[in-house]
Amino acid sequence: MKIIMLGAPGAGKGTQAKMIADKYNIPHISTGDIFRSNIKEGTPLGMEAKEYMDKGQLVPDDLTVRILLDRVSKDDCRNGYVLDGFPRTIPQAEVLDNEVAKLGQKIDYAIDVNVPDEAIVRRMGGRRCCPKCGATYHIEYIRPQKEGICDECGSDLILRDDDKPETVLKRLEVYHQQTQPLIDHYSKLNILRTVDGTKDMQEVFEAITEYLEA
Ligand code: ADP
Ligand code: AMP
């Protein structure tokens, strides 16, 4: 089961990818999480990625593709994976399609979580993340049991650096220019399903599992 999640930043890809990964017992792979953990550890990769992320830009394809291919070559990916935030450009999608084809396999499902830009800005302003385990909450819509504290590991929740309003607008612009064309790409491969991401998270998840189990 190889699944990719498409959608604007803040559409709910990570929230749904985690639920998919738990239900089907496959790894949830987020290139954004990989970059953030490298930034936290101060690695050269993290330092390079941070320059782009802070400006709301995409990290260059060669670097991003390298870390993604390295991750999906690990043993735990043998039965599939759910990719969250990759691919984000047509060249990234082409490399992924080719690499998977070399193994005699293919990407099975592409899910587009569709949320209009106005709602995105509200969602990202209220997003709070756990810097330790990566869990994501929202101050209005998906609250932790105790305000400001991660339900899963008890760490203090933070506002991501790139969730500031001016960076969010830049990320949305980059999404429309560089990532939205992937919807067409996967639609032509006949594996795309668009779900209404404005519904509550359980309803979105039901629409997704209905597609995965059809
Ligand atoms: P992405 O991974 O696409 O950037 P997230 O999964 O981090 O998006 O979700 C963005 C924000 O919206 C988070 O604060 C999350 O808790 C919240 N969120 C996710 N899904 C929903 C939903 N269906 N309804 C309301 N808020 C949601
Ligand atoms: P995310 O956590 O998916 O919202 O990603 C946060 C940031 O990491 C993005 O705004 C990009 O700067 C960078 N990033 C994550 N995934 C990719 C990717 N596939 N290609 C390029 N940059 C990425």
Side-chain angles (χ1 to χ4, degrees):
M1 206 177 205
K2 295 189 179 56
I3 305 169
I4 62 176
M5 305 299 291
L6 299 173
K13 300 182 297 296
T15 302
Q16 296 298 328
K18 185 170 187 308
M19 294 163 85
I20 294 170
D22 288 347
K23 178 165 170 119
Y24 299 103
N25 206 17
I26 50 176
H28 164 206
I29 300 175
S30 153
T31 36
D33 282 351
I34 297 174
F35 290 139
R36 280 184 291 278
S37 74
N38 275 274
I39 291 173
K40 214 165 95 190
E41 285 161 22
T43 68
L45 165 69
M47 273 150 32
E48 186 173 351
K50 185 170 169 32
E51 294 211 8
Y52 298 93
M53 291 167 75
D54 282 350
K55 290 188 216 142
Q57 297 170 350
L58 295 183
V59 176
D61 284 342
D62 55 347
L63 187 61
T64 308
V65 161
R66 215 165 353 111
I67 61 145
L68 188 277
L69 293 183
D70 177 59
R71 178 65 189 87
V72 296
S73 69
K74 302 268 193 283
D75 267 3
D76 65 336
C77 291
R78 252 177 322 186
N79 295 328
Y81 41 74
V82 50
L83 300 186
D84 156 20
F86 186 99
R88 262 182 159 102
T89 65
I90 292 282
Q92 289 181 12
E94 286 171 346
V95 173
L96 178 67
D97 293 347
N98 289 337
E99 288 298 316
V100 171
K102 278 187 202 162
L103 304 171
Q105 300 171 348
K106 64 180 188 57
I107 299 296
D108 304 294
Y109 306 95
I111 297 162
D112 169 33
V113 184
N114 184 29
V115 174
D117 287 8
E118 311 79 74
I120 291 290
V121 176
R122 239 190 344 269
R123 281 208 185 165
M124 305 215 353
R127 171 156 65 184
R128 295 295 178 270
C129 300
C130 176
K132 189 152 173 229
C133 75
T136 300
Y137 304 87
H138 191 281
I139 53 172
E140 273 179 73
Y141 310 129
I142 302 173
R143 299 165 117 157
Q145 283 167 14
K146 199 167 160 218
E147 200 183 312
I149 304 291
C150 180
D151 290 347
E152 317 235 347
C153 73
S155 303
D156 287 340
L157 300 177
I158 57 158
L159 174 70
R160 266 169 54 174
D161 282 345
D162 59 350
D163 280 350
K164 300 194 173 81
E166 55 291 3
T167 319
V168 169
L169 293 179
K170 176 68 191 169
R171 290 168 69 198
L172 269 176
E173 185 190 316
V174 167
Y175 167 74
H176 289 300
Q177 275 174 0
Q178 302 194 53
T179 308
Q180 213 169 16
L182 294 180
I183 292 176
D184 221 34
H185 176 85
Y186 287 105
S187 170
K188 285 188 186 132
L189 296 176
N190 279 324
I191 58 166
L192 182 85
R193 170 70 61 98
T194 296
V195 296
D196 180 355
T198 63
K199 300 265 173 59
D200 79 47
M201 67 186 236
Q202 283 305 336
E203 280 180 85
V204 180
F205 189 54
E206 275 162 32
I208 291 174
T209 51
E210 193 191 311
Y211 174 46
L212 299 178
E213 292 173 15

